[in-house]
Amino acid sequence: MIYTVTFNPAIDYVVHTDAMQVGMVNRSRTEEIYYGGKGINVSMVLKELGLESRALGFVAGFTGAAIEKGVQAKGIATDFVHLQEGFSRINVKIKSGEETELNGQGPVIGAEAVTELFRKLDKLRDGDTIVLAGSIPSTMPSDTYEKILAHLKGKQIRTVVDATKDLLKNVLQYQPFLIKPNHYELGELFGVTLHSHSEIEAYARKLQEMGARNVLVSMAEQGALLLDEAGICHICGVCQGTVKNSVGAGDSMLAGFLAGLETGDYTDALKLGTAAGGATTFSEGLAERAEIDRLLLQL
């Protein structure tokens, strides 16, 4: 089983308007609602690719109930911790030529709720995969990722971390199976700006030396690079299409990569991850199977 963890899930309310005027009444042209958060995005795309997963995390209030119901309606199993106070956040994304976002804070997550999450993690068994994606809410301890990996140490569980800066660097001591920075985030970790494939590969190897087993780097228009646990570097080109969406592409790549590992080798996984990321980029919402399959033919 693949488990995804979303500490601060959200309802994403997407509004399309012809013109956005600050200080005036603006009317939408079209609207969409998505149930989001990086871990939930991974679960959604895994479902499109035929893989089951279980979504973990924290939900609260009427918005939390809507998120849970919406995720379950997509055929995804959930095991959320239900908070007694507050409400899960609503993120407003206004698309009017440029994209403007207003993201909510989310509920307070106390020590008892964190303890309950760890009890749920005790259900993981050898051979399972856990995906930790995104930032940690300010109300939670900043070393929560480290504590989770330490809690699971000793079990044969594939740990996947998609995070940035110290949040990522501090988990490397636990030898995660896979980490997924983009090229900008990779450079940020070392205080450098990366341009070429050779530079990106060199710094990916530094992360491997620090403990990561596999390093998957998305490189925007340059495609994607994978440094696998055998030290082999794989590079995949980028898919061609019209960019419509900036949300969830990295999560989709991660889902596609994990799905590809179920039936193929690292090369196959990298291609499927690239196609899934592109399918989200070229869609209004998250990637759908038909578009993933179409883009896969380009690679």
Side-chain angles (χ1 to χ4, degrees):
M1 175 62 71
I2 298 175
Y3 292 81
T4 64
V5 181
T6 307
F7 292 120
N8 207 4
I11 292 176
D12 288 342
Y13 177 48
V14 182
V15 181
H16 299 261
T17 181
D18 292 325
M20 178 67 180
Q21 295 179 295
V22 177
M24 304 290 289
V25 174
N26 296 273
R27 301 191 183 281
S28 66
R29 177 164 40 84
T30 58
E31 306 163 17
E32 299 112 32
I33 287 178
Y34 301 101
Y35 303 104
K38 293 180 71 63
I40 289 174
N41 292 343
V42 172
S43 283
M44 292 279 195
V45 178
L46 284 173
K47 184 66 177 179
E48 279 291 318
L49 292 169
L51 266 69
E52 300 298 321
S53 68
R54 186 176 300 273
L56 307 180
F58 304 94
V59 292
F62 73 101
T63 45
I67 291 169
E68 185 170 37
K69 183 178 180 181
V71 172
Q72 291 173 349
K74 293 290 187 179
I76 298 167
T78 64
D79 193 11
F80 291 120
V81 176
H82 296 87
L83 305 176
Q84 300 306 307
E85 297 182 359
F87 59 91
S88 296
R89 61 190 176 140
I90 300 174
N91 297 334
V92 180
K93 303 179 186 296
I94 302 171
K95 296 190 177 184
S96 175
E98 294 181 325
E99 185 171 317
T100 302
E101 298 188 20
L102 180 59
N103 290 346
Q105 290 186 349
V108 173
I109 301 170
E112 290 184 3
V114 175
T115 298
E116 186 176 346
L117 175 65
F118 274 76
R119 283 198 293 265
K120 294 179 183 295
L121 295 177
D122 287 334
K123 300 176 184 178
L124 273 68
R125 296 292 178 260
D126 290 352
D128 288 341
T129 298
I130 185 169
V131 178
L132 305 175
S135 60
I136 295 175
S138 60
T139 59
M140 293 181 67
S142 60
D143 61 351
T144 298
Y145 276 8
E146 297 164 65
K147 288 180 178 177
I148 289 175
L149 267 64
H151 187 77
L152 298 173
K153 191 174 181 179
K155 293 183 178 181
Q156 300 301 311
I157 293 171
R158 293 194 307 187
T159 54
V160 179
V161 180
D162 182 3
T164 61
K165 299 181 180 177
D166 287 345
L167 195 58
L168 176 60
K169 188 178 291 186
N170 291 341
V171 302
L172 297 178
Q173 60 182 308
Y174 298 103
Q175 299 180 319
F177 171 76
L178 176 69
I179 60 173
K180 198 211 72 60
N182 61 39
H183 71 289
Y184 173 79
E185 293 163 346
L186 176 59
E188 190 177 44
L189 282 169
F190 296 97
V192 297
T193 300
L194 303 176
H195 301 286
S196 67
H197 287 169
S198 61
E199 291 174 337
I200 292 169
E201 179 185 346
Y203 280 92
R205 290 191 183 278
K206 289 182 181 293
L207 292 183
Q208 202 170 58
E209 291 167 3
M210 295 166 68
R213 289 172 56 188
N214 297 282
V215 184
L216 174 61
V217 185
S218 52
M219 305 183 296
E221 68 278 358
Q222 295 186 64
L225 178 150
L226 171 70
L227 184 63
D228 72 26
E229 56 190 330
I232 300 171
C233 184
H234 310 257
I235 293 175
C236 185
V238 68
C239 299
Q240 300 300 314
T242 301
V243 175
K244 297 181 180 179
N245 175 36
S246 62
V247 178
D251 309 324
S252 301
M253 169 177 275
L254 187 53
F257 183 85
L258 292 175
L261 282 182
E262 296 295 314
T263 56
D265 59 16
Y266 282 123
T267 300
D268 296 328
L270 182 58
K271 286 183 178 180
L272 186 56
T274 300
T280 289
T281 302
F282 306 147
S283 305
E284 294 294 346
L286 290 173
E288 295 183 355
R289 183 61 185 261
E291 180 68 357
I292 295 171
D293 289 343
R294 186 185 72 81
L295 293 180
L296 194 56
L297 297 175
Q298 296 183 8
L299 301 173

